[in-house]
Amino acid sequence: GHDGERRRLRLDANAAALAEWRLGAGRGAQDLVMLTLGTGVGGGLVLGGRLYRGWAELGHMVVVAGGPPCFGSCGGHGHLEALASGQAVDRLAGAELGDGATAQDLIEATRAGDERAAELLAGVGRLLGAGIGSLINVFDPDVVVVGGGFGASAGELVLASAREAARAEALAPAAERVRIVSAELGAGAGLIGAG
C-alpha cells in the first residue's frame, strides 16, 4: 500500500543521505539535509554528525497552504511532494506539452530553448527553495543535497531558482553559510548508504 511505499521511500532517503554525507556531496558536514526528488519526495537528515533515524517525512512539508492535493492516501494539500516531485512535474508536463508528456520531456524542451518549459521548471525550483528555506531555518545545516531521479535529471534547471528562493526565506547567517548542491552519487546512493 501507499504507507508501505512511503516507509520504503523514507528508508531509501535515509540511506542516500548517509552515503552523500560520508562519501558524496556532504563530506565533512556536521549537519546535512538531503531531499530525493523522485516519483515522490524523500528526505534524510544528519544532525550533529549522526544520521537521524526518526520520523522525517520532509516531502510532506506544506509549501503552499491549500495547494494541490498530495498523491496517494496522504490527504494533505500543498506538500512539497505535490509540487516538486517527478510525479508533480509529469502533471505539469502533460498540461504544457500534451497528454503523456513527462518531466523528462519538460527538461528536454528546456534544454532545447523552450522558454515556457524553462519557466515551469524554475517555478518548481522556487517551490523547492521555499521548502529548503524552511528546513534551513529549522536545522541550520552546513549543506542541503538534492538528488533522486528527477532531481538529478533537472539539476541546475531547478536548483538555480531553488537556491535563490531558499536564501530569500532562510534567516541570516544560515542563509549565507549553507551550500545547496546536487547529489554526487546518483542512483546508487541508497545502495551505497545501505552498505
Side-chain angles (χ1 to χ4, degrees):
H2 194 68
D3 289 342
E5 174 70 5
R6 287 211 318 241
R7 182 173 183 277
R8 186 191 64 74
L9 283 171
R10 194 164 60 246
L11 292 172
D12 286 353
N14 276 351
L18 179 61
E20 290 289 346
W21 172 53
R22 289 281 178 86
L23 301 169
R27 284 185 307 278
Q30 279 294 296
D31 299 286
L32 171 146
V33 172
M34 179 157 191
L35 292 170
T36 55
L37 312 182
T39 303
V41 174
L45 303 167
V46 173
L47 304 173
R50 296 177 61 110
L51 181 68
Y52 176 72
R53 296 179 183 272
W55 184 265
E57 286 282 4
L58 303 184
H60 292 276
M61 170 177 49
V62 175
V63 291
V64 176
C70 209
F71 301 107
S73 62
C74 169
H77 289 78
H79 293 181
L80 190 58
E81 185 164 299
L83 296 159
S85 65
Q87 193 171 184
V89 181
D90 285 345
R91 192 164 50 193
L92 279 179
E96 180 65 19
L97 302 175
D99 286 346
T102 66
Q104 191 59 42
D105 294 322
L106 202 61
I107 291 165
E108 289 171 12
T110 299
R111 292 193 172 127
D114 184 326
E115 291 183 14
R116 173 70 179 148
E119 181 49 38
L120 287 171
L121 287 177
V124 170
R126 286 189 288 274
L127 293 165
L128 173 63
I132 289 172
S134 293
L135 291 167
I136 292 168
N137 289 340
V138 173
F139 296 111
D140 186 21
D142 306 308
V143 61
V144 176
V145 179
V146 178
F150 169 65
S153 292
E156 287 298 315
L157 301 178
V158 167
L159 272 186
S161 57
R163 280 189 201 96
E164 186 178 333
R167 291 203 165 97
E169 298 297 337
L171 301 171
E176 293 79 32
R177 186 173 57 230
V178 67
R179 294 183 300 118
I180 301 169
V181 299
S182 289
E184 291 181 0
L185 300 177
L191 281 175
I192 292 166

